[in-house]
Amino acid sequence: MAGNNMAEHDGTAKVEKIKRWSPVWIVPIVTALIGAWILFYHYSHQGPEVTLITTTAEGIEGGKTTIKSRNVDVGKVETVTLSDDLQQVIIKARLNTGMEKMLRDDSVFWVVKPQIGREGVSGLGTLLSGAYIQLQPGNKGSEKSEYKLDDSPPLASPDAKGIRVVLESERSGQLSPGDPVLFRGFQVGTVETSHFDPKARNIKYQLFIRAPYDTLVSDNVRFWKDSGVNFDMSAAGMRVEMGSLTTLFSGGVSFDIPNGWTQGQEAKNGDNYQLFDDQKSIQESLYTRHMDYVMFFSDSVRGLQPGAPVEFRGIRLGTVSEVPFPINALKQQIANDYRIPVLIRIEPDRFAQLLGSDFNIADHIRDGIAEGLRASMKSANLLTGSMYVDLDFYPNEKPWKGPLEVAGHKLLPTVSGGFAQIQQKLMTTLDKINNLPIEPMLREATSTLAESQRTMKSTQKTIESLNAIVSSKEMKALPQDMQQTLIQLNRSLKGFQPGSPAYGNLVGDMQSLDKTLRELQPVLKTLNQKSNALIFAAPGQDDPQPKKAK
């Protein structure tokens, strides 16, 4: 029996696997499941991640700076790092769950911190709590994950009711974001942005005009820079304009419809307009039709500037375009007859209401040239020296026989005008005075005076002889009629005797004439030396020095 048992049990142990599951593993498994569920719940219920790009992270800290909308926390900044090129700041932020609907193409982020602007002091509440990021929800477009972080809030929300238009200007620095937009002195909007377009080489300003004033903007309105105080000295004289108190220090932009124009069609969002320098210059934009004429002046064009008026008897017909006007096809030499070309623009719309729309100005100018129509430069402002072009008829001018077109432009004949014409007439008059035979006249007058003195002496001798005859004895022997005749002749001649009034007047007149002729001799001598001495003072001369005896 024992041997058999030993044979059955040869010393090899048999291992049997336990098929029962140990409860010890329940705790770690449940813990892992709970952790996984927590992680899944955390990431599945996380809000969207937003990347904000800015140039500086002043006041922003990762894990601390909050994101707010209408003063309600909607997210928090997670990290603040530099970009790979070290030129920008990359801010990673996480919004709360359910805030995805706030992210659209027109959403705006900006930093709220203490600031001082034209509207006053803002952001004082961040002095204790620190800066935070404000989110303005968008309404248009799809969800985005990357936005620009601005330093200041937008001037108008994207959902604000109104209209946005774009102004174009060739001059920079005229407007700044935040400047007011005025209509007849009342603020109706603001300037939102300014941008330089390198392709068009101009400045573009975006304006927002809030409702209900957006209906004031039409396709016929004109925008101009309102600088508060505008001082202008031109051919029209001196003009000072003062805007509203709002634009006195910061400036702004105003718009209105030019006088005589209709309201026009309402403007659309994004329409483009030109920004004019002042309200006066908008009138120039009304006259787009023009005809070019070339004029040649032999006088100085100093004081004649582009923009000066072209008038006909006080009625403006056009505008000076270029002074001087280069004409490559015309070759001139610097000589006495050199003429300066000037280009003007005749604008028919300026006088269409006076003469009718069917008035053909080109035909009337062509016919007027044959009748003496000429252009001349005249002084518009003695204080500034500004000149303007005046058209008028000069019947004494010779008929124009020259060409009526030069280098493809119509030609207007000219005459000297203004001070140049006065100077020319004065010089002609002085030349005539200078050519008068003054010295022969003086010699003749002196000879006449000497002859008159000799005649008076002869008359005196005759009177003395008659007195002797009348008082002689022979006189008494003459017939009575002859005696009466001699007595009457003697009485008549006594009126010319020395001591009589007639004799005294005659002698005084002779002396005055002699004195006048003596005083006139230096003046005539000066005129012979300088013909324009009556207008311009002649140079002084030294007193004559007596010559020493030889």
Side-chain angles (χ1 to χ4, degrees):
M1 294 281 302
N4 296 333
N5 292 333
M6 291 295 292
E8 294 177 359
H9 299 279
D10 54 0
T12 302
K14 295 182 178 179
V15 179
E16 294 182 359
K17 295 182 179 180
I18 300 176
K19 297 182 179 179
R20 293 180 300 174
W21 182 73
S22 176
V24 178
W25 294 101
I26 295 177
V27 175
I29 292 174
V30 171
T31 303
L33 292 175
I34 294 174
W37 180 83
I38 292 175
L39 291 176
F40 172 78
Y41 182 84
H42 172 74
Y43 284 103
S44 63
H45 287 77
Q46 258 189 342
E49 185 183 42
V50 178
T51 302
L52 304 179
I53 301 176
T54 182
T55 57
T56 177
E58 180 183 1
I60 300 176
E61 298 180 13
K64 182 178 179 181
T65 303
T66 60
I67 300 177
K68 296 183 178 182
S69 178
R70 303 182 185 272
N71 291 328
V72 177
D73 291 348
V74 296
K76 182 176 291 186
V77 174
E78 293 182 342
T79 60
V80 180
T81 59
L82 290 175
S83 60
D84 295 338
D85 57 0
L86 306 179
Q87 300 296 322
Q88 294 176 329
V89 177
I90 307 298
I91 300 175
K92 297 289 185 179
R94 179 77 62 178
L95 298 185
N96 298 339
T97 304
M99 297 295 104
E100 298 88 352
K101 55 187 176 182
M102 303 180 69
L103 301 178
R104 294 292 183 268
D105 289 339
D106 54 351
S107 299
V108 182
F109 291 84
W110 71 90
V111 180
V112 178
K113 54 186 177 182
Q115 290 183 343
I116 300 177
R118 55 170 56 90
E119 292 84 8
V121 181
S122 61
L124 291 178
T126 60
L127 292 176
L128 299 178
S129 62
Y132 63 90
I133 297 176
Q134 184 75 19
L135 167 59
Q136 179 175 279
N139 298 319
K140 299 178 181 179
S142 58
E143 181 180 346
K144 291 175 56 178
S145 60
E146 184 174 305
Y147 296 90
K148 178 183 178 183
L149 182 61
D150 297 329
D151 294 332
S152 58
L155 298 174
S157 60
D159 58 347
K161 294 183 179 180
I163 188 174
R164 285 178 169 85
V165 296
V166 178
L167 302 185
E168 296 182 357
S169 175
E170 296 181 355
R171 297 175 57 186
S172 62
Q174 289 188 301
L175 298 175
S176 300
D179 287 345
V181 179
L182 307 176
F183 178 81
R184 299 180 182 177
F186 183 77
Q187 184 171 354
V188 297
T190 54
V191 179
E192 287 189 318
T193 61
S194 62
H195 170 68
F196 177 74
D197 188 351
K199 294 183 178 179
R201 298 185 178 183
N202 58 14
I203 306 294
K204 293 185 177 181
Y205 303 98
Q206 179 174 300
L207 275 59
F208 174 74
I209 301 173
R210 61 182 182 272
Y213 309 112
D214 54 342
T215 57
L216 298 173
V217 185
S218 64
D219 55 357
N220 284 343
V221 299
R222 294 293 185 270
F223 291 83
W224 68 89
K225 177 71 171 63
D226 199 342
S227 58
V229 178
N230 187 14
F231 180 80
D232 181 29
M233 294 184 66
S234 62
M238 183 175 65
R239 182 172 59 94
V240 179
E241 292 182 355
M242 179 173 290
S244 63
L245 186 62
T246 306
T247 61
L248 184 59
F249 299 102
S250 61
V253 58
S254 297
F255 70 95
D256 203 346
I257 298 176
N259 295 332
W261 279 43
T262 60
Q263 177 71 22
Q265 300 293 329
E266 289 190 8
K268 299 179 181 179
N269 202 44
D271 284 352
N272 287 18
Y273 294 88
Q274 180 182 356
L275 178 62
F276 294 91
D277 293 335
D278 49 37
Q279 187 176 7
K280 177 186 175 183
S281 59
I282 67 174
Q283 294 298 126
E284 306 302 326
S285 67
L286 306 180
Y287 309 108
T288 56
R289 296 191 304 121
H290 59 84
M291 296 176 293
D292 295 343
Y293 284 85
V294 173
M295 304 177 300
F296 291 89
F297 289 102
S298 58
D299 304 328
S300 173
V301 296
R302 182 180 181 86
L304 185 65
Q305 299 293 334
V310 178
E311 298 181 356
F312 174 74
R313 298 179 180 177
I315 301 176
R316 183 163 182 175
L317 301 183
T319 306
V320 176
S321 179
E322 292 188 49
V323 182
F325 177 58
I327 302 179
N328 298 328
L330 183 64
K331 302 298 182 181
Q332 292 194 87
Q333 300 293 332
I334 301 298
N336 187 34
D337 60 344
Y338 181 80
R339 298 172 298 166
I340 303 174
V342 175
L343 181 67
I344 66 171
R345 292 181 174 180
I346 300 297
E347 298 153 343
D349 293 336
R350 290 186 177 272
F351 50 94
Q353 296 179 354
L354 296 176
L355 303 176
S357 58
D358 57 345
F359 181 79
N360 194 328
I361 184 62
D363 294 342
H364 283 76
I365 290 180
R366 184 182 64 253
D367 297 340
I369 291 175
E371 298 178 3
L373 181 65
R374 300 292 186 269
S376 62
M377 287 188 302
K378 292 187 178 180
S379 176
N381 193 319
L382 295 177
L383 183 62
T384 62
S386 301
M387 308 289 289
Y388 74 99
V389 176
D390 180 69
L391 298 180
D392 208 339
F393 287 92
Y394 296 85
N396 296 330
E397 286 293 318
K398 298 180 180 179
W400 178 254
K401 297 182 180 179
L404 294 178
E405 187 172 330
V406 174
H409 297 280
K410 297 179 181 179
L411 177 67
L412 257 178
T414 62
V415 295
S416 297
F419 287 112
Q421 190 175 16
I422 296 175
Q423 182 180 3
Q424 182 179 3
K425 292 181 178 180
L426 183 59
M427 293 301 298
T428 302
T429 303
L430 293 177
D431 291 338
K432 291 181 179 180
I433 295 175
N434 190 34
N435 294 330
L436 289 176
I438 301 297
E439 294 183 357
M441 291 174 60
L442 288 176
R443 289 195 296 268
E444 187 67 25
T446 304
S447 175
T448 302
L449 180 60
E451 188 66 28
S452 299
Q453 291 177 350
R454 287 194 295 268
T455 302
M456 291 182 64
K457 291 180 180 180
S458 301
T459 304
Q460 181 64 28
K461 292 180 180 179
T462 303
I463 291 173
E464 292 176 354
S465 300
L466 286 174
N467 288 333
I469 294 173
V470 171
S471 59
S472 63
K473 295 179 179 181
E474 290 79 3
M475 177 66 182
K476 297 178 180 180
L478 293 174
Q480 188 68 25
D481 293 338
M482 187 173 290
Q483 291 182 11
Q484 291 296 330
T485 301
L486 291 175
I487 292 172
Q488 192 68 28
L489 180 60
N490 188 24
R491 289 177 181 176
S492 300
L493 293 176
K494 283 183 178 180
F496 296 95
Q497 292 181 0
S500 63
Y503 182 84
N505 292 336
L506 183 60
V507 173
D509 293 340
M510 292 297 179
Q511 292 177 350
S512 298
L513 179 60
D514 182 63
K515 182 179 179 181
T516 301
L517 293 175
R518 293 179 183 275
E519 293 178 351
L520 190 60
Q521 287 181 355
V523 177
L524 296 175
K525 182 178 180 181
T526 302
L527 289 176
N528 288 330
Q529 296 176 353
K530 185 178 182 181
S531 60
N532 59 353
L534 292 176
I535 305 302
F536 305 99
Q541 298 181 355
D542 298 334
D543 295 335
Q545 300 293 332
K547 296 181 180 180
K548 62 181 180 179
K550 295 182 180 180

